[in-house]
Amino acid sequence: MVGRPRLVIVGAGIVGCALADELTGRGWTDVTVVDQGPLFVTGGSSSHAPGLVFQTNPSKTMTEFASYTVRKYTELGCFRQVGGLEVATTPERWADLGRKQGWAESWGVEGALVDADRCAELWPLLDPGKVLGGFHVPTDGLAAAVSCGERQAARAIERGARFLAHHTVLGVEQSGGRVTGVAVEVRGEDVEYRVVPADVVVCAAGFWGPTVGAMAGLTVPLLPLAHQYAKTGPLPGQGEAAAPDGWPILRHQDRDLYFRTHGDRIGIGSYAHRPMPVAQHEIGPKGTVMPSVQAFTEEDFAPSWRDAVELLPALKQTHHEDGINGVFSFTPDGFPLIGEAPQLDGFWVAEAVWVTHSAGVARALAELLVDGRSGFDLHECDLNRFEKAQLSPAFIEERGMQNFVEVYDVIHPLQPMESPRPMRTSPFYQRQRELGGYFLEAAGWERPQWFEANVPLLEDLVRRRRTDLGDLPEEARAMAVEPFLGAAQRDAWASRHWSPVAAAESHATREGVALYDMTPLKRIEVAGPGAAAFLQHLTTNNVDKKPGSVTYTLLLDAGGGVRSDLTVARLAEDRFQVGANGNLDLDWLTRHAPGGVQVRDLTPGTCCLGVWGPRARELVQPLTDMDLSHEGFRYFTCKSGYVAQVPVLAMRVSYVGELGWELYTTADMGLKLWDTLWATGLPVAGGRAAFNSLRLEKGYRLWGVDMTPEHNPYEAGLGFAVRRDKDFLGSDALSADITRKLVPLLSTEVVMGKEPVRHAGRTVGYVTSAAYGHTIQRPIAYAWLPIELSAPGTHVDISYFGRRVPAEVAAEPLFDPGMEKIKR
């Protein structure tokens, strides 16, 4: 398609220029880029960005964005591959650099841990006595942001794109729910107002994104924050005078500092100061030479200068100057914003994108626009990932500021944000607090990990275990109890946000019955004439069954990648309840729904308890009018009825591999449901730590962790949910011929996820989910491996903080392979 559709990009910073280049390179040549500033020093973040590109990130996608950016800008000649060096001055940071080296290995980035002397060789100003070592990535470096933007713009212009300076967007034109153009004010000798017609508009306006988004009726959840950067005076014989290509970019994250060379001067960036949010109306007005630069606040920088001198003693010879408070964009979770507005077709955003990831994000969005899908997994970056509760100005500001404070912190993968909490709570929250719940947070929901009230269960479990060991000496019995709980297989890192109480809750579920709060999982109603045909087209399995049926199925994208997994319950001929993974599923279903089919989020007004364990029937049957016998209530079916006075939808499904039901009711009846079940004295409360252990023993996948749109169902071990005798979205792209596979590993130590997996001295894959299996009494780690290494019995190594952890591929499921327990 050449010359169509008409596309307008708002913003000629590095992201807008990169997107114009990527789109015109794919044949979309009717591209107009408008900017309120001059070209190409437009006055946004790109105009003052120091241009550091550190590739390694805990997110595979963010690492891939950065790696593509490095490759592209190197080819364009606007990138200096001086390398990157991160130093550790504390044992905690040194350990974290070992974890970071593992991420680099998992995601295919060359990097190595180096000692203090090597750090000083790479950065001669550095005092080696101050550091324990560092992490060196030779391919990191410096992108000249303005030059990179201009060179990409030049290529786009050669292909037909137009770049228009001094065009301020005043409004987003629309008709019938679709964008039709942008209204602009053109400043020259005279002021002119006109509309630039467009079929697609992309907002790449940087920290002006919320203003432009509001014109389209869209909340763009980013917060502009000022960040300090200054240069030293000249240091004769240092910097590029000593190293023509410059020394590596340097991060001293223990003091929230980074450094780069500017000839014989050193640039210093600091995140150590207080957060400095900048409201949209406080950003420099039109005509300002550099709206993204605010006045330097010396008092905020003074502590950072002292820390810089401590690490780099040669700085005592000079002073800092040319300081700025430069404005950058932060989001509530630290990821960019990529995607199409939910209520205005054709209005897209590429926002909160730093130079580091600019070319990668542009390529991803160009692929979405031209091909309908991207080769990158974008679920962490999708504009529509946030719940409505996460889009308030107060939430965006508070979480954005906290992300600024934590940008260089050592963050545990389970570490929750501290505030604002609690935000979203289930009707069971009051009882969970009374039971001493230890809560983490996800999508704003408070989710209990374990319950202190179950400590007596743990003590009883230990007593029983010691009794079972008979006449063994005391020391031997004590040693045997530790692995039974899973504590001995955990280091201090894996023990954070975990308790051995999870072992008691796991065993209580396997032996009795437990209540699990499943309220945070998204529930969506799909109803109306054509609802069955719609879901049949959008999902992989056969959902067009009789009312009362429940089906596990998948959502695929056009390339056959797994967008999500769903549980679809048919409640009536034209009404379904869909158990989904989050807001992205709601957005996907809503976008694809034909006229007459309604898609509605049920989650805020409902709640759910998982009632699971071999005594689940014993618990619920005396309280209900429903026949819960195996013959009367088959596996993967649902019924409506009552539990005492509480109306429920009961669904016979289990994500822990035990007999049981999910019981749904309205939020106002949730507390009554809990109290009714609890009053019997049979159940215990189970937390997410036990839940995760139980699901991995059973081999149940977690979307977004174990599989993403990068993977097809056959690779992910979900081929059973694919019906090839029907047409569905993505079916044409599916192939059962696979080169990799998701497999369970049994190891000697509990790991956390994202660690590299090695075989015969080479990296062959990476870990997804991990936990201790309390029933099988072994650490479990699911991992992606080449198909030739996926056979049970294959020996591999997991690299955990640089340590070798032996592991073996196992047959799955690890627990109850015959499904006797779940279908009794």
Side-chain angles (χ1 to χ4, degrees), residues 172-180 215-217 340-348 591:
V172 176
E173 303 291 302
Q174 50 189 287
S175 176
R178 180 159 195 93
V179 71
T180 59
M215 299 174 189
E340 188 177 18
Q343 295 176 324
L344 181 59
D345 291 346
F347 187 84
W348 293 72
R591 288 183 188 278

Side-chain angles (χ1 to χ4, degrees), residues 229-299:
Y229 190 79
K231 297 175 185 176
T232 69
L235 288 166
Q238 307 298 341
E240 292 168 23
D245 292 327
W247 294 329
I249 48 177
L250 173 67
R251 281 206 286 208
H252 180 21
Q253 292 172 289
D254 289 320
R255 291 293 184 272
D256 295 312
L257 292 171
Y258 64 81
F259 307 87
R260 59 154 293 184
T261 58
H262 292 277
D264 60 354
R265 305 204 298 168
I266 306 298
I268 305 170
S270 171
Y271 291 100
H273 54 81
R274 61 190 168 88
M276 303 177 190
V278 182
Q280 294 288 291
H281 70 274
E282 295 173 331
I283 300 170
K286 291 180 293 185
T288 303
V289 175
M290 191 64 71
S292 61
V293 172
Q294 299 201 329
F296 188 67
T297 49
E298 172 67 36
E299 64 277 11

Side-chain angles (χ1 to χ4, degrees), residues 646-657:
V646 181
V648 299
L649 170 65
M651 201 175 300
R652 191 174 170 191
V653 295
S654 171
Y655 289 98
V656 299

Side-chain angles (χ1 to χ4, degrees), residues 166-383:
H166 306 298
H167 280 55
T168 301
V169 174
L170 301 179
V172 176
E173 303 291 302
Q174 50 189 287
S175 176
R178 180 159 195 93
V179 71
T180 59
V182 292
V184 296
E185 175 190 88
V186 184
R187 297 189 313 279
E189 293 184 3
D190 299 309
V191 177
E192 175 190 352
Y193 298 93
R194 62 189 182 90
V195 173
V196 182
D199 303 300
V200 177
V201 173
V202 179
C203 178
F207 49 69
W208 284 287
T211 296
V212 177
M215 299 174 189
L218 174 70
T219 297
V220 177
L222 70 78
L223 177 70
L225 283 153
H227 156 60
Q228 293 198 301
Y229 190 79
K231 297 175 185 176
T232 69
L235 288 166
Q238 307 298 341
E240 292 168 23
D245 292 327
W247 294 329
I249 48 177
L250 173 67
R251 281 206 286 208
H252 180 21
Q253 292 172 289
D254 289 320
R255 291 293 184 272
D256 295 312
L257 292 171
Y258 64 81
F259 307 87
R260 59 154 293 184
T261 58
H262 292 277
D264 60 354
R265 305 204 298 168
I266 306 298
I268 305 170
S270 171
Y271 291 100
H273 54 81
R274 61 190 168 88
M276 303 177 190
V278 182
Q280 294 288 291
H281 70 274
E282 295 173 331
I283 300 170
K286 291 180 293 185
T288 303
V289 175
M290 191 64 71
S292 61
V293 172
Q294 299 201 329
F296 188 67
T297 49
E298 172 67 36
E299 64 277 11
D300 290 306
F301 194 72
S304 293
W305 175 254
R306 291 193 294 270
D307 290 335
V309 171
E310 181 181 21
L311 182 69
L312 309 175
L315 299 187
K316 294 177 183 177
Q317 305 170 28
T318 184
H319 59 281
H320 60 85
E321 55 190 40
D322 298 333
I324 64 169
N325 286 5
V327 182
F328 290 91
S329 300
F330 285 76
T331 59
D333 59 6
F335 286 97
L337 304 167
I338 306 169
E340 188 177 18
Q343 295 176 324
L344 181 59
D345 291 346
F347 187 84
W348 293 72
V349 303
E351 288 289 347
V353 182
W354 292 6
V355 172
T356 304
H357 309 107
S358 54
V361 168
R363 173 183 161 183
L365 183 50
E367 290 172 342
L368 286 176
L369 289 167
V370 177
D371 304 324
R373 72 182 300 269
S374 174
F376 298 99
D377 165 29
L378 300 179
H379 82 274
E380 295 169 311
C381 309
D382 195 301
L383 167 69

Side-chain angles (χ1 to χ4, degrees), residues 54-56 82-86 104 109-112 135-141 248:
F54 286 93
Q55 296 168 83
T56 308
V82 295
L85 177 64
E86 302 178 50
V109 174
E110 177 189 358
F135 173 55
H136 180 227
V137 177
T139 55
D140 287 344

Side-chain angles (χ1 to χ4, degrees), residues 654-674:
S654 171
Y655 289 98
V656 299
E658 294 290 341
L659 170 70
W661 289 263
E662 288 182 347
L663 301 179
Y664 297 87
T665 191
T666 52
D668 62 315
M669 296 298 294
L671 188 59
K672 180 66 174 177
L673 176 62
W674 178 286

Side-chain angles (χ1 to χ4, degrees), residues 380-526:
E380 295 169 311
C381 309
D382 195 301
L383 167 69
N384 299 295
R385 65 190 181 269
F386 295 107
E387 299 283 334
K388 187 175 182 179
Q390 298 172 300
L391 293 176
S392 70
F395 181 88
I396 294 166
E397 180 171 359
E398 184 165 352
R399 286 291 172 96
M401 289 195 296
Q402 190 170 347
N403 272 311
F404 178 92
V405 170
E406 295 180 350
V407 68
Y408 277 176
D409 286 359
V410 176
I411 303 294
H412 191 277
L414 295 178
Q415 181 175 323
M417 284 285 189
E418 296 177 357
S419 180
R421 289 180 63 193
M423 244 180 61
R424 307 176 79 189
T425 58
S426 80
F428 320 124
Y429 180 64
Q430 177 183 341
R431 296 292 182 258
Q432 292 166 342
R433 290 189 64 190
E434 292 167 358
L435 293 171
Y438 180 90
F439 292 89
L440 300 183
E441 179 262 352
W445 288 101
E446 295 295 316
R447 303 203 301 182
Q449 286 293 100
W450 68 84
F451 296 91
E452 287 298 315
N454 289 330
V455 168
L457 291 179
L458 176 65
E459 295 168 348
D460 180 63
L461 186 66
V462 171
R463 281 194 298 270
R464 285 192 289 140
R465 177 61 174 166
R466 292 169 69 90
T467 300
D468 291 343
L469 296 171
D471 297 329
L472 284 177
E474 177 66 24
E475 183 178 350
R477 282 195 287 176
M479 291 177 63
V481 166
E482 286 187 359
F484 184 68
L485 301 179
Q489 291 79 13
R490 292 177 179 269
D491 66 358
W493 185 255
S495 296
R496 292 189 194 180
H497 305 293
W498 176 84
S499 167
V501 172
E505 294 172 4
S506 176
H507 283 282
T509 308
R510 292 280 188 239
E511 297 169 0
V513 59
L515 306 182
Y516 287 87
D517 185 357
M518 306 303 289
T519 302
L521 297 184
K522 179 72 73 176
R523 292 172 293 286
I524 302 169
E525 181 183 76
V526 178

